[in-house]
Amino acid sequence: MPFLLPLKSKLAINENDVNNIILSYLIHNCYKESSESFISCTGMKQPADHLENMEKRKRIFHHALEGNVLKAIELTGQLAQDILENNNDLLFDLLSLHFVDLVCSKKWTEALEFAQTKLSPYSVKEQKYMDKIEGFMSLLAYENPVECPMFHLIGLDYRQQVVDSLNQTILGWGASTIFLEGFS
């Protein structure tokens, strides 16, 4: 039986904590106008550089979602050069999205060359990358990649998962230097 609080519980909820959670959600999801309005209505202190960095993150993940992953990687490097260098899993996932875009565009030769130059070096690092590469390469065996057993790799859910991970990583990188400065 789940634990239930009595309706008349005297649980104290700090309004500032609730406001910080709401603002954090708005910033995380790049709701610029909503976060500005919320800050104005609550009288909260605006986090340092949050609007500028929010716009940068928004551009990055829009590029990744819309199939311009290499531009997203470039912009991420401009924002914080070491983010992707220190996160092999995320960089591999982003590069794999570009591979998927090439396959879906039926640029078979370019996709194969990209896999050889950008993805295959990861297979030497760890077996998990080799397993992932094999899954991605199986997309090339089908003229219509949707018919491939690994078709989930070309779906929006996989892309959204990778982009969410990128957004989380950028937020985590900037949490101590960018976003949390304004919370008090």
Side-chain angles (χ1 to χ4, degrees):
M1 175 177 231
F3 176 75
L4 299 174
L5 288 175
L7 290 176
K8 295 182 180 182
S9 174
K10 301 221 181 205
L11 182 63
I13 298 175
N14 183 331
E15 186 176 344
N16 286 336
D17 290 342
V18 172
N19 288 344
N20 282 335
I21 290 169
I22 293 169
L23 183 59
S24 176
Y25 171 83
L26 295 172
I27 290 172
H28 172 83
N29 290 294
C30 296
Y31 297 131
K32 179 182 175 186
E33 292 82 15
S34 297
S35 66
E36 290 172 332
S37 177
F38 187 76
I39 289 168
S40 175
C41 290
T42 60
M44 295 178 71
K45 184 178 176 188
Q46 184 168 316
D49 297 331
H50 92 281
L51 294 178
E52 177 184 338
N53 289 298
M54 185 187 307
E55 287 302 315
K56 289 178 183 177
R57 281 187 305 108
K58 193 174 189 175
R59 275 195 325 244
I60 289 168
F61 74 72
H62 277 290
H63 280 294
L65 279 176
E66 294 170 1
N68 195 353
V69 178
L70 296 181
K71 183 67 174 178
I73 292 171
E74 176 189 332
L75 291 173
T76 301
Q78 291 172 6
L79 181 63
Q81 186 175 5
D82 61 339
I83 277 183
L84 295 176
E85 291 172 6
N86 296 328
N87 193 331
N88 284 332
D89 290 345
L90 180 56
L91 182 56
F92 178 86
D93 288 342
L94 288 166
L95 292 171
S96 69
L97 287 180
H98 181 68
F99 174 81
V100 165
D101 292 336
L102 293 171
V103 169
C104 289
S105 300
K106 301 191 184 299
K107 297 179 179 177
W108 315 117
T109 305
E110 193 176 338
L112 196 53
E113 289 171 356
F114 184 82
Q116 288 173 335
T117 59
K118 299 295 184 182
L119 296 179
S120 67
Y122 284 87
S123 66
V124 178
K125 295 178 183 181
E126 290 184 52
Q127 181 62 38
K128 68 179 180 180
Y129 295 121
M130 177 57 89
D131 296 339
K132 285 183 172 185
I133 290 170
E134 288 173 357
F136 285 107
M137 294 305 288
S138 70
L139 295 170
L140 289 172
Y142 293 81
E143 189 169 328
N144 184 0
V146 176
E147 297 170 358
C148 178
M150 300 299 287
F151 75 93
H152 69 276
L153 297 172
I154 64 173
L156 185 58
D157 287 343
Y158 177 71
R159 182 173 295 274
Q160 186 67 53
Q161 176 187 350
V162 173
V163 172
D164 286 344
S165 179
L166 175 60
N167 192 35
Q168 271 301 112
T169 301
I170 293 171
L171 282 169
W173 166 82
S176 62
T177 58
I178 296 172
F179 297 105
L180 294 182
E181 290 174 1
F183 291 99
S184 53

